[in-house]
Amino acid sequence: MDITAKVKEIIVEELGVEESEVTMEANFIEDLGADSLDTVELIMKFEEEFDIDIADEDAEKLVTVGKAIEYLKSKIN
Amino acid sequence: MIDLSEKTAVITGAAQGIGLAITEKLAMNNAAVIIVDINKKLIDQRVEMLTSRGLNAAGYQADVTKSDQIEDIFKEISSTRGNIDILINNAGITRDGLLMKMKEEDWDLVLAINLKGTFICTQKVSRYMLKQRSGVIINIASVVGIMGNAGQANYAASKGGIIALTKSTAREFASRNIRVNAVAPGFIETEMTSILSEEVIKKYAEAIPLKRMGKPEDVADLCLFLASDLAKYITGQTIQVDGGLIM
Ligand SMILES: NC(=O)c1ccc[n+]([C@@H]2O[C@H](COP(=O)([O-])OP(=O)(O)OC[C@H]3O[C@@H](n4cnc5c(N)ncnc54)[C@H](O)[C@@H]3O)[C@@H](O)[C@H]2O)c1
């Protein structure tokens, strides 16, 4: 499974943003317009899609697309 | 005219009493209704009674304090029906007694079913409503949650808690076009109040400006209004339906 592509696809769908905006550096709240509810929904979607549990302490740190991808790759492999 | 066609409504504790009256009222205004109750036998009878009248009704047995059961039900409703538009948190019990002699288990049970059950059902439905960007949640509180009542410390605390939960939920979900309100009935003629003696009921009725006990339908009428678009600018409120008992 191409984790990077899947994560980007989820972000595009959940946040209703253009794929071109979903760069590695993009911050969910500042750049992609997410609010606190969106970020919770996004984490829940990752958990569901990749069948993993993401602890709240970890979730707080996943503020950019790159950080989320890096974290999910480490959890899944 | 209120028309709830295309809307799916889930009502907890709807096998009898106020919950059943709300269910009938929403169904008669074209909503697809789903009864969630702990009483399997009654659910089957009620669904049968509603569908035989040509109304769109289904039922699930579940305990509102069991989050896994509630989660499964919403998952199934969402996958079979698409949207979940209306949730009425109505399941509730009383275990009355003076505070000095109240058993902890009676405190815990009333708080678990009335307050935590409302939280659990709200949490489990929220992922669907948030995604839909629409929804209505109505929590059945009680005037006792506003004014307190001797002999009902546990019940009053649970209902006061529901009112505060309603306001917090309304604030959290408002940006997603989900309205959350509480309804506070006064004394309504149901099984719950049938345990009261005739004398007590008479005394209560005299204290009510409209001079009668309420009927489940009085509560259902308010819920229909709140569930409809007529209430589209109302959220976070607690509305009494009590014949003027407290003002
Ligand atoms: N009757 C009144 O005067 C009055 C006044 C104010 C508020 N209320 C509130 O209205 C609501 C309905 O009351 P009612 O008078 O119709 O009561 P009722 O006892 O007639 O009905 C309650 C229903 O809830 C179900 N239930 C109980 N525990 C459950 C659980 N753990 N999970 C799922 N279902 C469960 C029961 O099986 C029953 O069908 C309650 O929240 C009650 O506190 C009632």
Side-chain angles (χ1 to χ4, degrees):
Chain A
M1 177 172 45
D2 183 347
I3 293 173
T4 304
K6 187 73 208 170
V7 170
K8 286 189 172 179
E9 186 188 314
I10 291 171
I11 294 168
V12 166
E13 199 203 303
E14 288 288 316
L15 301 182
V17 291
E18 294 296 322
E19 213 187 312
S20 58
E21 295 174 78
V22 187
T23 60
M24 288 296 177
E25 299 74 40
N27 182 297
F28 291 117
I29 291 173
E30 280 152 31
D31 302 317
L32 301 178
D35 65 13
S36 55
L37 280 179
D38 288 318
T39 57
V40 175
E41 285 187 272
L42 201 54
I43 296 292
M44 281 166 68
K45 190 77 192 173
F46 291 149
E47 290 182 323
E48 193 179 286
E49 200 68 41
F50 298 111
D51 198 20
I52 53 168
D53 279 324
I54 302 176
D56 289 348
E57 308 88 82
D58 291 343
E60 275 166 30
K61 296 181 198 133
L62 309 182
V63 294
T64 64
V65 175
K67 288 207 169 114
I69 290 173
E70 190 189 331
Y71 174 83
L72 290 167
K73 278 185 171 163
S74 74
K75 277 286 267 201
I76 292 158
N77 296 321
Chain B
M1 250 304 278
I2 291 174
D3 181 17
L4 300 178
S5 45
E6 314 285 308
K7 305 264 188 216
T8 297
V10 177
I11 306 97
T12 69
Q16 64 179 36
I18 293 172
L20 180 62
I22 297 168
T23 303
E24 287 186 273
K25 183 67 69 173
L26 298 180
M28 275 155 41
N29 286 271
N30 305 324
V33 291
I34 296 170
I35 293 175
V36 174
D37 201 288
I38 204 163
N39 187 335
K40 173 87 175 98
K41 222 177 94 197
L42 269 187
I43 297 173
D44 293 346
Q45 286 177 23
R46 303 314 188 198
V47 169
E48 160 85 38
M49 180 266 289
L50 293 164
T51 49
S52 71
R53 285 160 52 191
L55 302 171
N56 187 342
Y60 291 94
Q61 181 185 28
D63 178 340
V64 292
T65 65
K66 301 279 189 299
S67 57
D68 49 346
Q69 294 179 9
I70 298 301
E71 184 169 350
D72 287 349
I73 288 174
F74 284 131
K75 193 181 267 177
E76 191 173 317
I77 296 171
S78 161
S79 67
T80 53
R81 318 218 170 198
N83 282 4
I84 305 172
D85 305 284
I86 299 160
L87 168 66
I88 318 267
N89 284 306
N90 165 82
I93 61 158
T94 52
R95 288 287 181 278
D96 298 350
L98 291 176
L99 185 139
M100 273 193 72
K101 295 174 90 179
M102 187 172 284
K103 293 197 196 76
E104 275 190 40
E105 61 195 68
D106 286 340
W107 172 272
D108 289 344
L109 189 64
V110 167
L111 268 291
I113 295 177
N114 298 8
L115 184 55
K116 192 175 179 191
T118 300
F119 158 71
I120 287 173
C121 294
T122 300
Q123 185 179 56
K124 296 306 172 192
V125 86
S126 69
R127 59 181 312 162
Y128 303 102
M129 289 189 175
L130 289 169
K131 180 146 254 169
Q132 282 160 212
R133 298 278 191 272
S134 72
V136 175
I137 299 174
I138 299 170
N139 297 326
I140 306 301
S142 167
V143 290
V144 168
I146 301 169
M147 67 178 189
N149 197 17
Q152 290 198 307
N154 49 359
Y155 183 75
S158 75
K159 295 300 186 178
I162 287 176
I163 292 170
L165 172 65
T166 300
K167 295 177 189 180
S168 301
T169 316
R171 287 184 190 277
E172 278 194 30
F173 294 173
S175 67
R176 299 301 194 273
N177 191 31
I178 298 165
R179 294 186 293 102
V180 189
N181 290 292
V183 165
F187 291 101
I188 311 296
E189 286 168 22
T190 67
E191 295 275 315
M192 189 177 262
T193 46
S194 67
I195 51 166
L196 301 172
S197 71
E198 224 167 274
E199 208 179 315
V200 170
I201 291 182
K202 221 179 121 200
K203 207 183 85 204
Y204 280 148
E206 270 163 24
I208 299 169
L210 288 179
K211 295 286 175 225
R212 66 167 176 91
M213 299 265 289
K215 297 195 183 318
E217 201 187 347
D218 295 323
V219 182
D221 282 331
L222 175 57
C223 291
L224 174 65
F225 166 74
L226 286 174
S228 80
D229 272 349
L230 292 178
K232 59 186 174 300
Y233 199 52
I234 301 176
T235 197
Q237 304 305 305
T238 300
I239 303 180
Q240 290 161 223
V241 50
D242 65 357
L245 180 64
I246 58 170
M247 302 184 191

